[in-house]
């Protein structure tokens, strides 16, 4: 069990420090040298992507497993209707067919998955069903890049505790999914692997750092994917990709960090096509010690309890909630009321402008050790080193201008957020609000080469105003896919937040909403449902 410690700075610095020191004897640390040293670890950013017409022209036989969630696939394996090896091959074909168009993968671990297939106990919960992991967690012997040239050849020696639990649950890891560099961009796009495209509309982003994972699940590659959520990364991608995405309570889950601790804002869980898959994995990857919260266990279905739900139409500041998003949430309010829940309007407890001021000041201090590491070992400035994207290197350079007093004020302000949310739940069991104020973001709206500025950051944070504060507060939250067919062709998620430790209530409500407004047959145009493999 974990110690309960919260990591004060981004734990990836541990990897960067060790990796750079191993590379120190090289005469020049550059992206060119990283490519030369990477062996078979080749970037896909320069590879040609297939058009939709090419994809359809190369389609093969229909996939007989379309429509099964992970629990359903486990049942087929357990009953002998299909083998673990056969499921691995189906998923490998799905990846080969759709990744050239959507670009959701960073590392394929097909041979690893093939070696494990046939050895995974049939009485495990998922009995050998493949899963994709986000490229920001340690899987022993599998490359972890965090979307950066800086870690292009980084291979952790062993699993973290959370990954041990994922594998003990009977899931077979078949690859890693794309992320922005160090989760720092506002779209899943980086210099090493390129941009991930949304299966619902290729011109649109899958949003923040779990975007590669969300694209894979929305395309039906696997029914459930691993993700992390540090400011909305299991909820924003879930919203624009039509998935069920969960952020657990802070410290709820087993540690996903190499040192056994926990990041202040980041949690591990899933995005999935069904509630039951997510609920089952929650049970198998949560910390059962009960030191902080009673364990959730396996939530099997809805509750008869009727909830008092606070509805927050908007949080004034920076980016107003669009008419289409507002209408979508009002439809969800009507659905909740038809199910017997009490819904009353409430106010967002956070001043968006103040949050937007202190959010970058907090993270700027986390960039300083990284900047110092790179400059000490390369002998040039962080921007000259070319080891980070333009956005990250310019943010790191700008971080030195953040006064220490401003960083202290940021930490002090963000530390008040748990009490602000606690007060919100004095009168409500749960809260409903948008996942983000707009339906979606074009891929062209963000480039990794973009130069950081405070105004750009402020505008980006405007799209995180409903999700980011929840991470600092530590509350559990979920995005539920209840609205479809927006004018942009994207789904629109609905954001539910619970008090600290209230994860069970979210799952109970999610089951009820899934029954009342089934979403399982809503498939993206670029998915295995419509593109036979």
């Amino acid at each position: 069990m974990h110690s309960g410690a919260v990591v004060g700075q981004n734990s990836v610095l541990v990897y960067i420090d060790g990796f750079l020191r191993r590379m120190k004897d090289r005469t020049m640390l550059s992206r060119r040298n990283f490519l030369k040293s990477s062996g078979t670890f080749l970037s896909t950013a320069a590879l040609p992507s297939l058009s939709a017409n090419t994809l359809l022209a190369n389609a093969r036989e229909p996939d007989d497993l379309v429509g099964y969630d992970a629990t359903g696939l486990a049942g087929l394996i357990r009953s002998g209707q299909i083998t673990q090896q056969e499921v691995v091959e189906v998923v490998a074909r799905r990846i080969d067919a759709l990744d050239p168009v959507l670009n959701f993968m960073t590392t394929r671990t097909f041979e690893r998955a093939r070696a494990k297939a046939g050895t995974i106990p049939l009485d495990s919960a998922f009995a050998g069903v493949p899963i994709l992991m986000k490229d920001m967690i340690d899987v022993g012997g599998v490359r972890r890049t965090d979307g950066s040239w800086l870690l292009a050849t980084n291979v952790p020696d062993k699993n973290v505790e959370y990954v041990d639990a994922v594998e003990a649950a009977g899931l077979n890891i078949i690859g890693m999914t794309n992320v922005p560099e160090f989760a720092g961009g506002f779209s899943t796009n980086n210099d090493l692997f390129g941009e991930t495209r949304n299966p619902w509309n290729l011109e649109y982003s899958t949003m923040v750092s779990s975007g590669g994972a969300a694209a894979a699940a929305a395309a039906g590659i696997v029914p459930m994917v691993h993700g992390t959520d540090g400011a909305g990364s299991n909820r924003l991608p879930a919203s624009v990709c039509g998935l069920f995405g969960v952020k657990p309570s802070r410290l709820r889950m087993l540690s996903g960090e190499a040192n056994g601790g926990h990041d202040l804002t980041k949690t591990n869980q899933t995005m999935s096509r069904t509630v039951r898959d997510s609920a089952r994995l929650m049970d198998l990857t949560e910390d059962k010690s009960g030191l902080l919260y009673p364990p959730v266990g396996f939530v099997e279905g809805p509750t008869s309890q009727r909830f008092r739900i606070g509805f927050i139409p908007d949080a004034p500041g920076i980016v107003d909630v669009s008419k289409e998003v507002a209408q979508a949430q009002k439809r969800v309010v009507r659905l909740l009321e038809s199910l017997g829940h009490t819904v009353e309007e409430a106010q967002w407890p956070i001043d968006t402008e103040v949050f937007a001021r202190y959010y970058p000041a907090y993270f700027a201090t986390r960039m300083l050790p990284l900047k110092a590491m790179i400059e000490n070992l390369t002998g040039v400035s962080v921007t000259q080193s070319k080891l980070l994207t333009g956005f990250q290197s310019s943010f790191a350079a700008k971080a030195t201008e953040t006064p220490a007093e401003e960083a202290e004020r940021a930490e002090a302000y963000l530390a008040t957020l748990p009490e602000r949310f606690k007060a919100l739940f004095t009168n409500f069991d749960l809260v409903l609000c948008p996942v983000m104020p707009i339906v979606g973001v074009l891929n062209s709206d963000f480039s990794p080469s973009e130069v950081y500025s405070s105004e750009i950051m402020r505008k980006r944070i405007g799209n995180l105003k409903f999700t980011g504060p929840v991470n600092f507060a530590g509350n559990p939250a979920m995005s539920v896919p209840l609205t479809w067919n927006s004018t942009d062709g994207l789904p629109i998620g609905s954001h539910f937040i619970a008090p600290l430790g209230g994860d069970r209530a979210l799952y109970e409500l999610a089951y009820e909403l899934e029954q009342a407004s089934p979403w399982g047959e809503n498939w993206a145009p670029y998915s295995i449902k419509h593109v036979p493999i």
Side-chain angles (χ1 to χ4, degrees):
M1 295 298 176
H2 65 70
S3 64
V6 176
V7 178
Q9 65 183 32
N10 192 333
S11 57
V12 77
L13 292 177
V14 175
Y15 289 102
I16 296 169
D17 182 51
F19 187 72
L20 284 178
R21 291 183 189 284
R22 290 194 298 273
M23 298 292 290
K24 189 175 181 180
D25 59 345
R26 296 187 180 274
T27 57
M28 178 179 175
L29 284 170
S30 68
R31 281 186 285 185
R32 178 176 298 174
N33 278 357
F34 272 104
L35 179 59
K36 287 180 179 178
S37 69
S38 66
T40 60
F41 297 150
L42 296 179
S43 166
T44 60
L47 296 178
S49 62
L50 298 181
S51 69
N53 289 336
T54 303
L55 181 67
L56 292 170
N58 291 326
R60 291 173 284 182
E61 70 274 11
D63 185 338
D64 292 336
L65 300 181
V66 172
Y68 284 92
D69 66 357
T71 303
L73 286 174
L76 294 180
I77 294 170
R78 204 171 286 119
S79 66
Q81 296 178 66
I82 191 168
T83 66
Q84 293 177 359
Q85 294 92 334
E86 287 170 334
V87 177
V88 166
E89 296 308 321
V90 167
V91 173
R93 287 202 307 272
R94 290 173 177 178
I95 292 170
D96 286 342
L98 281 160
D99 185 52
V101 171
L102 301 175
N103 194 36
F104 51 81
M105 296 290 291
T106 62
T107 301
R108 290 166 167 77
T109 60
F110 293 179
E111 292 310 311
R112 182 184 192 273
R114 286 169 177 143
K116 286 183 176 289
T119 70
I120 298 170
L122 293 179
D123 61 355
S124 60
F126 292 105
V129 173
I131 191 172
L132 290 166
M133 303 298 288
K134 180 176 177 179
D135 193 356
M136 291 193 70
I137 194 167
D138 284 10
V139 178
V142 175
R143 178 176 59 152
R144 172 185 172 172
T145 73
D146 288 53
S148 178
W149 280 101
L150 189 57
L151 295 179
T153 60
N154 172 55
V155 179
D157 294 329
K158 62 181 182 179
N159 291 351
V160 292
E161 190 177 20
Y162 181 87
V163 173
D164 278 340
V166 166
E167 295 195 306
L171 291 162
N172 192 356
I173 297 169
I174 198 166
M176 310 293 280
T177 57
N178 201 17
V179 297
E181 185 176 48
F182 299 132
F186 292 87
S187 183
T188 297
N189 191 354
N190 57 61
D191 284 350
L192 181 55
F193 300 105
E195 69 181 17
T196 296
R197 291 171 282 279
N198 194 312
W200 289 92
N201 185 332
L202 298 183
E203 293 184 359
Y204 275 80
S205 170
T206 53
M207 295 303 296
V208 286
S209 65
S210 297
I221 306 302
V222 287
M224 175 171 61
V225 289
H226 163 255
T228 64
D229 192 314
S233 294
N234 269 8
R235 291 162 286 156
L236 291 157
S239 177
V240 299
C241 290
L243 302 169
F244 175 61
V246 174
K247 185 204 94 65
S249 294
R250 179 186 295 147
L251 305 178
R252 161 75 72 187
M253 311 306 289
L254 294 171
S255 173
E257 307 301 330
N259 64 1
H262 290 261
D263 189 89
L264 177 65
T265 62
K266 184 176 71 174
T267 60
N268 290 273
Q269 222 331 43
T270 62
M271 291 173 288
S272 59
R273 298 190 65 86
T274 65
V275 176
R276 69 177 182 174
D277 279 354
S278 178
R280 191 172 296 277
L281 192 60
M282 164 72 83
D283 175 32
L284 297 170
T285 55
E286 69 171 333
D287 182 348
K288 298 290 190 184
S289 69
L291 294 176
L292 288 169
Y293 318 107
V296 174
F298 177 44
V299 183
E300 298 186 44
T303 177
S304 59
Q305 178 184 353
R306 298 300 84 186
F307 295 114
R308 300 170 301 159
I309 300 174
F311 171 50
I312 300 175
D314 199 356
I318 306 180
V319 180
D320 292 335
V321 168
S322 72
K323 182 179 179 180
E324 195 165 14
V325 171
Q327 290 173 340
Q329 304 317 317
K330 287 177 182 177
R331 288 197 292 273
V332 174
V333 168
R334 292 194 293 270
L335 173 61
L336 291 166
E337 290 174 334
S338 74
L339 295 171
H341 300 287
T342 301
V343 183
E344 298 178 12
E345 194 162 313
Q347 289 190 330
W348 189 242
I350 308 301
D351 185 315
T352 299
E353 291 287 0
V354 176
F355 180 75
R357 171 186 171 183
Y358 288 128
Y359 180 92
Y362 174 86
F363 283 104
T365 62
R366 273 66 190 162
M367 294 297 292
L368 294 176
L370 172 58
K371 176 178 180 292
M373 249 181 235
I374 292 173
E375 293 179 346
N376 288 340
L377 289 168
T378 62
V380 297
S381 72
V382 65
T383 52
Q384 290 175 318
S385 74
K386 304 297 183 184
L387 294 181
L388 298 179
T389 61
F391 181 80
Q392 287 285 52
S393 64
S394 58
F395 181 44
K398 191 74 173 177
T400 58
E401 300 176 15
T402 302
E405 297 81 6
E406 181 74 357
E408 291 171 3
R409 284 192 291 269
E411 291 213 33
Y413 167 74
L414 294 169
T416 69
L417 268 55
E419 285 300 316
R420 293 170 188 264
F421 275 91
K422 183 178 180 180
L424 177 63
F425 290 105
T426 302
N427 299 314
F428 302 109
D429 300 312
L430 300 170
V431 164
L432 164 67
C433 63
V435 179
M436 67 175 179
I438 57 178
V439 173
V441 175
L442 290 166
N443 261 320
S444 58
D445 286 347
F446 174 79
S447 166
S449 61
E450 182 176 273
V451 176
Y452 172 85
S453 73
S454 57
E455 183 55 29
I456 286 174
M457 177 65 87
R458 177 180 173 276
K459 289 179 180 178
R460 305 294 188 200
I461 293 171
N463 286 332
L464 307 181
K465 67 180 184 178
F466 292 110
T467 56
V470 178
N471 292 75
F472 284 98
N475 294 68
M478 64 182 181
S479 176
V480 185
L482 296 171
T483 305
W484 304 85
N485 300 321
S486 71
T487 54
D488 295 319
L490 304 180
I492 302 174
S494 294
H495 191 204
F496 291 90
I497 310 166
L500 269 171
D503 308 67
R504 170 170 283 272
L506 291 177
Y507 276 103
E508 290 171 338
L509 178 62
Y511 272 115
E512 185 177 21
L513 293 171
E514 185 180 35
Q515 292 175 6
S517 182
W519 56 75
E521 286 306 309
N522 290 312
W523 286 89
Y526 297 92
S527 68
I528 59 168
K529 181 72 171 180
H530 303 298
V531 182
I533 64 165

